[in-house]
Amino acid sequence: MNLFDVIGPIMIGPSSSHTAGAVRLGNLGKAILGEKVQTAVVGLHGSFAQTYRGHGTDRALAAGLLGWATDDARIPDSLTIAADSGLEISFTTVNLGELAHPNSVQFTLTGESGKVCRVKGASIGGGQVVVSEIDGFPVELSGQFPTILTMHKDRPGAIALVTSILSTQGVNIAQMRVFRREKGGLAAMIVETDQPIGDAELEVIQKLPHIESVRRIQLG
Amino acid sequence: MAEKLSLQQWLQAAEEENNTFGAYCLAFQAKDMEMTEQAILERMLEIMQVMEESALAGLKGVKSMGGLVGQNASLMASYQERKEKSLVGPIVSNAIRTALAVGEANAAMGRIVAAPTAGASGTLPAVLLALEEPLALKKIDLARGLVVAGVIGMVIASRASLSGAAGGCQAECGSAAAMAAAAAVDLAGGTPRQVGQAVAMTIKNMLGLVCDPVAGLVEVPCVKRNAGAAAQALVAAEMAMAGVESVIPVDEVIDAMSSVGCAMSGTLRETAQGGLAVTPTGAAWQEKLFGKK
């Protein structure tokens, strides 16, 4: 936590958890999908489900999915702007269980290429957020650091190749987690770094053996 | 949260350096964040600008999302313009007006600065802007005040919480008030020791404040509580400047806030299941806006 986490974010009201955090969750959903969102089915859980209209959480989530910042003055009108720009967005209430954070959301996002992605996350206070699940993989992703997310085959060396590219580019790894469903199957890797990751590195990583996809995730 | 920060330690360090607490905070934050002091202050100036704009926006008279609050800041302003007898004097009266204005702008989806949260966003600008003229402060001084306030918030976050859901409204409006009181004392020329006393006394006076938003929205009682918090900050700052001291040391007061927050029933921690939220009128609003629970 630093000074600007306490004095900030600059945001559109009324609630850092229900509004600014919701924008950031939308931003993360869009970044994880990795392309323009075409349709979004948004499941709201707990306090999000109870009070989303009064807090403008629906508008904030839509703004986030459009890629806007927490202080974008258009947030109150985001639902209309989303509809005009061809983003189809629907809201439902869901029960994600007792263990889910009271301010949780579940996105099912379809991109312009037809790609579908499911993202679960929570707004945990003061505008801070955490993504807890991507396409069924349990993850933990805050978006506070420059981050890359890979989907790759669970093979020896798949991870080492990625980290060696980062190290040769002078990118320091702050935190890293690897998830897999089954040995030798599809795995996910989240690498949070101190330095931003450039387009060139991203392209090289994409072409590595065993890498299915790589996405760069970073909140403003 | 890994490490418990100690405000006492920082206050002492500032005193040993014979520095004001504001100058000390700016220097060590610059080092910690690998930013220049100037870059930090420039960012704080931008933030102060947004705070002022949010106060102006609220004064125009806005309508909140849930429709529970609005136009009380303009009521205060016209009361002041009519020069009717102020019961609290111009500084507190101006602080009340700004706190209501920013709180109302926030509730109406206006652009604000969460400091430390959106629900408590009126308190800090209220105190800083109310002191701008009487203390002949420049904008850069207000930016320095924000640095002091931010440091206090960081200590509270590490020892207690800044979230109403975790610690009740004492964690939001209480923290905002403590942050504002610290900034006020530092800007008024108080010593680091007096800054610490102001923080301790503010939190003591806000201890146990429940978070009971009607219909779960950041409207009632949040907006008016910001005005109360701003006044508490000024009361504690005034006592500290006079040399009044807290019997309980500041870090211990913050720890007490943490334990009070933990002891507080879940119904009183932003769940809208206790306090004002479940009064007959509170329940009626809940039903009107969101249907029966």
Side-chain angles (χ1 to χ4, degrees):
Chain A
M1 171 166 265
N2 71 43
L3 272 185
F4 300 110
D5 293 326
V6 179
I7 310 294
I10 297 175
M11 57 169 282
I12 300 300
S15 160
S16 23
S17 291
H18 291 76
T19 321
V23 173
R24 285 180 166 166
L25 284 168
N27 290 156
L28 280 175
K30 178 178 188 283
I32 291 165
L33 178 69
E35 59 184 56
K36 196 176 163 200
V37 187
Q38 199 94 59
T39 60
V41 180
V42 182
L44 300 165
H45 166 86
S47 173
F48 266 16
Q50 284 285 330
T51 67
Y52 74 96
R53 287 191 189 88
H55 279 126
T57 308
D58 47 354
R59 305 176 202 206
L61 288 164
L65 290 171
L66 288 163
W68 300 354
T70 53
D71 70 335
D72 196 306
R74 296 170 296 173
I75 289 174
D77 306 317
S78 69
L79 292 175
T80 321
I81 296 173
D84 291 348
S85 72
L87 165 58
E88 247 180 77
I89 178 162
S90 58
F91 295 91
T92 58
T93 59
V94 291
N95 185 348
L96 299 176
E98 289 274 304
L99 294 178
H101 188 282
N103 292 325
S104 285
V105 65
Q106 177 178 267
F107 295 116
T108 305
L109 305 174
T110 309
E112 51 188 356
S113 73
K115 186 167 127 193
V116 180
C117 184
R118 235 175 132 93
V119 177
K120 222 184 261 182
S123 177
I124 56 172
Q128 317 260 19
V129 298
V130 63
V131 165
S132 58
E133 202 178 298
I134 299 172
D135 287 337
F137 284 103
V139 297
E140 200 184 313
L141 173 60
S142 71
Q144 283 186 326
F145 292 90
T147 303
I148 54 172
L149 164 69
T150 69
M151 291 290 171
H152 60 272
K153 293 197 193 90
D154 181 32
R155 300 281 190 280
I159 295 163
L161 284 171
V162 173
T163 57
S164 74
I165 285 167
L166 294 177
S167 74
T168 55
Q169 296 301 317
V171 174
N172 185 48
I173 295 175
Q175 283 186 70
M176 175 169 167
R177 289 187 198 87
V178 183
F179 312 87
R180 67 179 179 192
R181 286 212 194 89
E182 58 188 294
K183 253 190 206 171
L186 191 65
M189 161 167 50
I190 286 181
V191 185
E192 294 180 309
T193 61
D194 289 330
Q195 291 80 20
I197 301 139
D199 294 338
E201 290 106 291
L202 214 63
E203 216 168 292
V204 178
I205 292 170
Q206 173 74 71
K207 289 184 184 137
L208 290 174
H210 314 309
I211 297 288
E212 305 260 311
S213 71
V214 55
R215 275 158 285 180
R216 180 172 38 193
I217 299 156
Q218 195 181 342
L219 298 188
Chain B
M1 193 68 59
E3 189 199 358
K4 267 192 183 181
L5 304 174
S6 164
L7 185 55
Q8 194 55 49
Q9 252 175 35
W10 288 351
L11 295 166
Q12 264 163 11
E15 264 180 353
E16 279 158 22
E17 281 179 20
N18 221 353
N19 219 340
T20 66
F21 192 58
Y24 172 81
C25 290
L26 185 58
F28 88 68
Q29 285 303 314
K31 204 171 151 197
D32 192 57
M33 294 167 73
E34 297 176 351
M35 285 174 80
T36 63
E37 293 188 12
Q38 195 191 342
I40 291 181
L41 287 177
E42 273 167 19
R43 175 84 184 127
M44 286 304 184
L45 280 171
E46 287 171 25
I47 287 174
M48 201 60 231
Q49 175 75 25
V50 176
M51 286 179 166
E52 285 189 59
E53 286 166 7
S54 62
L56 289 174
L59 269 179
K60 285 185 189 146
V62 288
K63 193 163 167 20
S64 66
M65 291 285 294
L68 280 82
V69 295
Q71 305 186 343
N72 285 334
S74 30
L75 269 185
M76 276 300 296
S78 46
Y79 177 72
Q80 290 178 319
E81 272 159 29
R82 291 198 305 271
K83 295 203 182 351
E84 284 180 27
K85 198 173 208 169
S86 169
L87 302 175
V88 291
I91 293 180
V92 175
S93 183
N94 287 339
I96 295 169
R97 190 192 63 218
T98 303
L100 294 175
V102 176
E104 290 179 342
N106 179 56
M109 290 192 91
R111 187 165 176 255
I112 55 97
V113 181
T117 63
S121 59
T123 303
L124 186 53
V127 171
L128 288 175
L129 294 172
L131 293 176
E132 185 180 6
E133 209 184 285
L135 296 182
L137 301 170
K138 299 193 182 74
K139 296 296 176 200
I140 195 77
D141 300 320
L142 300 182
R144 288 173 192 279
L146 287 180
V147 174
V148 172
V151 164
I152 303 302
M154 283 166 59
V155 175
I156 298 174
S158 83
R159 303 187 79 96
S161 173
L162 298 174
S163 140
C169 195
Q170 56 171 7
E172 297 204 25
C173 283
S175 299
M179 289 156 59
V185 170
D186 193 68
L187 293 176
T191 63
R193 185 180 177 90
Q194 287 170 316
V195 169
Q197 299 303 329
V199 171
M201 290 188 285
T202 307
I203 295 177
K204 283 163 74 177
N205 288 354
M206 305 285 281
L207 219 49
L209 191 59
V210 302
C211 180
D212 51 355
V214 169
L217 301 178
V218 192
E219 302 192 6
V220 171
C222 318
V223 173
K224 294 180 190 103
R225 249 180 215 166
N226 274 271
Q232 284 284 8
L234 288 165
V235 167
E238 186 91 328
M239 286 196 279
M241 290 303 289
V244 177
E245 299 220 325
S246 168
V247 172
I248 312 295
V250 63
D251 287 331
E252 292 181 35
V253 173
I254 298 172
D255 291 346
M257 175 167 139
S258 171
S259 61
V260 170
C262 291
M264 213 177 258
S265 156
T267 61
L268 301 172
R269 288 190 292 190
E270 212 182 331
T271 52
Q273 306 199 327
L276 298 170
V278 296
T279 55
T281 303
W285 271 101
Q286 162 74 34
E287 198 180 327
K288 185 179 163 198
L289 292 173
F290 303 114
K292 268 209 158 95
K293 275 216 163 165

